[in-house]
């Protein structure tokens, strides 16, 4: 009787089943149905839509149809000690990924750093150097663009949480789709296939106004992650990193002008240090209040414009302010030229994209958008951590920028190595 009622409940849910609905886990106890009938019920429950109740509870023998986003607390990894929680970090050798691995190790998690065999700027770092960089972590080597590699190496042993710090190195069109979308999707799908319960994504605050290829690639993945249904998520959207604002430190120190677009007040950000961002990402691994949320995050203090940052550098170096304003129209001209050239020579499509990236960061703030006004808002951009850009600049002026190299993201070769 109860089993029949359960089967009818599952069968009646067919009208809300969608191909992209939530995956679900089915447990049928004491059923008199055949394996084929149970398999059909399981399949339908796997397709239950997001708004379907996560648990169908009946008197007597029960059917549990629990979507993983509302995981049974008895099996929720969050109830375990950090030392019993296994976290896989992809993008571990990237700028933020390195700090995330170290922060998770310091918090006592079992950390697996999934790395490339050759990493670092220009692929100059080999496997032995990479292993030395992550004491306390299990370092494995594979290819995030290859699902078989992720399965056999990254998920050789059970993993509770996947943290993705993957990001395209240049922001070019093909690289963005390969890394920001496909490789990140590979990591999520390998995690789902192998029983991971949570996925922490390092995204970017600029995806809220997607005009660039890497932003569209990130958003495409964000949507798939939120709709997956069988894995919970935390999507971290940070503002500018300290490193991205460091390109002109040495130039100003040497007495050269500070270059800015327009009057230097076109855009603002609340920059966050790699250490504070890594700490926030680590919070997302276990904190219940950060689960299934999109999380814009900035550093402490007020929002800073390019003009603010330049004046800060001149004050720290003791030099008189000397600004070199560049009209935004110059970028518009470059974009038009490269777009035209790319229409004739497709191999130049990335050059056009790089020009668009340059303009975007010149005129768009790295702050949360106010949904009511459509304007950027410093007040709506949460602050986190203790590290300030001023302290970072002071240290950079005194000690240099070793470890803060921009690599392939460097503009005009400034601070590349």
């Amino acid at each position: 009787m109860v089993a029949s009622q359960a089967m009818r409940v599952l069968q009646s849910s067919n009208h809300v089943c969608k191909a992209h609905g939530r995956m679900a886990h089915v447990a049928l106890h004491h059923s008199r149905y055949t394996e084929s009938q149970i398999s059909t019920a399981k399949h339908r429950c796997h397709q239950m839509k997001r708004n379907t109740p996560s648990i169908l509870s009946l008197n007597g023998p029960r059917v549990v149809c629990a979507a993983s986003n509302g995981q049974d607390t008895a099996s929720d990894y969050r109830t375990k000690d950090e030392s019993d929680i296994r976290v896989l970090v992809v993008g571990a050798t990237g700028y933020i990924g390195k700090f995330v691995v170290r922060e998770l190790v310091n918090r006592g998690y079992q950390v697996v750093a999934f790395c490339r065999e050759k990493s670092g700027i220009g692929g100059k770092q080999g496997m032995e150097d990479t292993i030395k960089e992550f004491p306390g972590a299990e370092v494995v080597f594979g290819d995030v663009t290859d699902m078989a590699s992720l399965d056999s190496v990254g998920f050789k042993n059970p993993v509770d949480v996947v943290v993705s710090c993957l990001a395209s190195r240049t922001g070019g069109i093909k690289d963005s789709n390969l890394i920001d979308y496909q490789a990140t999707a590979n990591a999520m799908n390998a995690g789902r296939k192998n029983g991971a319960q949570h996925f922490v994504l390092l995204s970017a605050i600029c995806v809220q106004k997607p005009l660039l290829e890497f932003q569209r690639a990130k958003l495409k993945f964000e949507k798939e992650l939120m709709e997956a249904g069988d894995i919970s998520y935390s999507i971290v959207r940070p503002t500018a990193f300290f490193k991205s604002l460091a390109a002109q430190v040495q130039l100003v120190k040497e007495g050269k002008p500070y270059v800015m677009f327009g009057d230097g007040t076109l855009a603002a950000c609340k920059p966050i240090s790699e250490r504070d961002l890594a700490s926030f990402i680590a919070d997302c691994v276990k904190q219940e209040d950060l689960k299934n949320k999109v999380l814009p995050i900035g550093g402490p203090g007020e929002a800073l414009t390019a003009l603010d940052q330049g004046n800060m550098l001149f004050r720290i170096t003791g030099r008189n302010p000397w600004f070199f304003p560049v009209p935004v129209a110059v970028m518009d001209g470059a974009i038009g030229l490269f777009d035209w050239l790319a229409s004739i020579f497709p191999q130049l499509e990335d050059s056009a994209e790089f020009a668009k990236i340059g303009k975007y960061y010149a005129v768009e703030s790295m702050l949360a958008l106010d949904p009511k006004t459509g304007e950027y808002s410093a007040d709506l951009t949460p602050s986190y951590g203790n590290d300030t850009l001023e302290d970072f600049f002071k240290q950079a002026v005194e000690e240099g920028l070793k470890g803060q190299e921009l690599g392939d993201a460097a503009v005009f070769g400034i601070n590349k190595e």
Side-chain angles (χ1 to χ4, degrees), residues 240-249 258 269-272 304-306 309 313 366 389 392-393 401 406 415:
F241 308 152
F242 285 0
K243 180 178 81 166
S244 65
L245 305 177
Q248 299 193 66
V249 170
Y258 185 92
C269 64
K270 294 176 71 172
I272 188 168
L304 301 171
T305 64
Q309 296 164 38
L313 269 177
M366 297 297 106
L389 183 65
F392 170 78
F393 277 168
L401 288 166
L406 293 171
N415 194 33

Side-chain angles (χ1 to χ4, degrees), residues 199-322:
F199 194 99
V200 182
L201 173 67
L202 173 60
S203 186
I205 201 166
C206 60
V207 302
Q208 63 193 336
K209 191 173 181 180
L211 303 178
L212 304 170
E213 194 65 27
F214 83 87
Q215 296 164 341
R216 290 187 284 267
K218 286 181 181 293
L219 269 183
K220 181 179 178 181
F221 174 72
E222 283 189 12
K223 183 175 185 292
E224 290 188 10
L225 175 60
M226 288 187 282
E227 292 180 349
D230 57 350
I231 189 167
S232 60
Y233 60 86
S234 299
I235 297 174
V236 181
R237 291 180 176 177
T239 63
F241 308 152
F242 285 0
K243 180 178 81 166
S244 65
L245 305 177
Q248 299 193 66
V249 170
Q250 189 60 34
L251 298 176
V252 171
K253 185 178 177 181
E254 293 171 355
K256 296 181 174 63
Y258 185 92
V259 180
M260 61 186 185
F261 288 94
D263 64 358
T265 64
L266 297 173
C269 64
K270 294 176 71 172
I272 188 168
S273 72
E274 63 278 354
R275 179 169 56 187
D276 285 339
L277 179 55
S279 178
F280 183 75
I281 290 172
D283 289 347
C284 292
V285 169
K286 199 174 180 182
Q287 280 187 212
E288 188 73 29
D289 61 334
L290 300 178
K291 170 184 169 183
N292 292 340
K293 291 182 179 178
V294 175
L295 303 159
I297 195 71
E302 301 295 321
L304 301 171
T305 64
L307 182 63
D308 295 328
Q309 296 164 38
N311 280 322
M312 186 183 292
L313 269 177
F314 289 122
R315 186 171 64 250
I316 292 170
T317 58
R319 296 189 176 276
N320 292 326
W322 180 19

Side-chain angles (χ1 to χ4, degrees), residues 87-91 100 104 161-165 199-201 281 285:
V87 183
L88 175 71
V89 181
V90 291
V100 170
L104 291 170
V161 180
V162 179
V163 176
S164 174
C165 297
F199 194 99
V200 182
L201 173 67
I281 290 172
V285 169

Side-chain angles (χ1 to χ4, degrees), residues 101-123:
V101 170
R102 293 165 189 158
E103 179 68 20
L104 291 170
V105 169
N106 289 339
R107 295 193 185 194
Y109 289 101
Q110 296 179 33
V111 182
V112 182
F114 191 90
C115 306
R116 291 174 291 156
E117 292 185 3
K118 292 186 179 296
S119 59
I121 298 173

Side-chain angles (χ1 to χ4, degrees), residues 77 79-87 104 107-111 160 285-286:
Y77 75 92
T79 63
K80 299 190 291 187
D81 291 334
E82 283 81 358
S83 60
D84 295 323
I85 297 174
R86 190 172 175 86
V87 183
L104 291 170
R107 295 193 185 194
Y109 289 101
Q110 296 179 33
V111 182
D160 298 297
V285 169
K286 199 174 180 182

